[in-house]
Amino acid sequence: MRHLRAHAWKIAAATAVGGAALAGLRTAAGSPVRSAPTVATAGAGIAAVGLMAYERLSPRSWLYGPVFWHARTTERVVALTFDDGPCHPYTGQLLEILDREGIRATFFQVGNNVRREPKLAAEVASQHEVGNHTFTHPHLVWSRPCTVREQLLRGQEAIHDATGALPGIFRVPHGWYGPQVISTAEELGMRCVGWSVMAWDWDRPQRDVIQRRILRGVRPGGVTLLHDGQGTDAFPKADRSHTVAAVPHIIRSLKANGYGFLTLPELMDLEARGRHPR
Ligand SMILES: [Zn+2]
């Protein structure tokens, strides 16, 4: 069964169109623009439009369908996620850090980068969870369903060719979901994923800034977003040295605060068990 929320956006759209139309009709029929019912219907329409726009641009979208961005739990667990790889040398450096710390993480790989670095992609998949992050990292929020489908399928194909794995999770580039993105991912057998805390590390802030932003925002059941690549760019244009430098301290601080580390599917399982305890 499709999630009920997949239909919620239609109600919002009807409110938006209906509110605007009713306010327009009342004004055309001679009611003062500032009369209470006209203002109320126009307000409802504007609010619905605002909600629809916000939900398209939110990594925690709910209006257009389910996007997993944290687990509702009091357990001190967190999922580390890295986007836009694989990208030499940063992905390999992260693998070494994670290996040293005995942690498994989740990497949302860009198909084009997987084609460029198939061995690195396979190395990631042999130890960690891999998710689909499209083929060329485009903005998909206003794209047609066929474009979304092509991006997701080509991403799956590249990852499968290199690693033998077929991801069951998808994160949209830039975090902007639309109804056609969520429904297409679901049709292709992937659950959509957002995040609960990020460090704006694409702007290459200093290591301590990245550390502070992540550590300040982590809560039990959280999903962190950092980057081991930059879109479809390769080294040296994609410079993730600050992020890589920040990760050891982030892990050690979280461990010192009693946090354990799960992959995204493990965190999703934890959430599901919490809702349906056996
Ligand atoms: Zn990305």
Side-chain angles (χ1 to χ4, degrees), residues 176-212:
W176 296 349
Y177 282 104
Q180 82 290 19
V181 178
I182 296 172
S183 60
T184 303
E186 283 182 344
E187 279 162 30
L188 297 175
M190 283 176 275
R191 290 183 64 187
C192 294
V193 174
W195 61 83
S196 64
V197 53
M198 62 176 178
W200 288 272
D201 62 332
W202 53 84
D203 282 340
R204 296 174 204 171
Q206 290 304 307
R207 177 182 69 176
D208 58 321
V209 176
I210 296 174
Q211 290 164 345
R212 201 169 53 241

Side-chain angles (χ1 to χ4, degrees), residues 91-110:
T91 307
Q93 292 169 350
L94 280 174
L95 290 180
E96 276 175 32
I97 294 166
L98 295 169
D99 187 45
R100 208 162 52 226
E101 297 289 347
I103 286 171
R104 291 181 69 224
T106 304
F107 290 77
F108 285 90
Q109 297 183 331
V110 177

Side-chain angles (χ1 to χ4, degrees), residues 135-148:
F135 191 75
T136 58
H137 205 265
H139 286 275
L140 288 179
V141 66
W142 305 113
S143 295
R144 291 160 54 192
C146 59
T147 308
V148 175

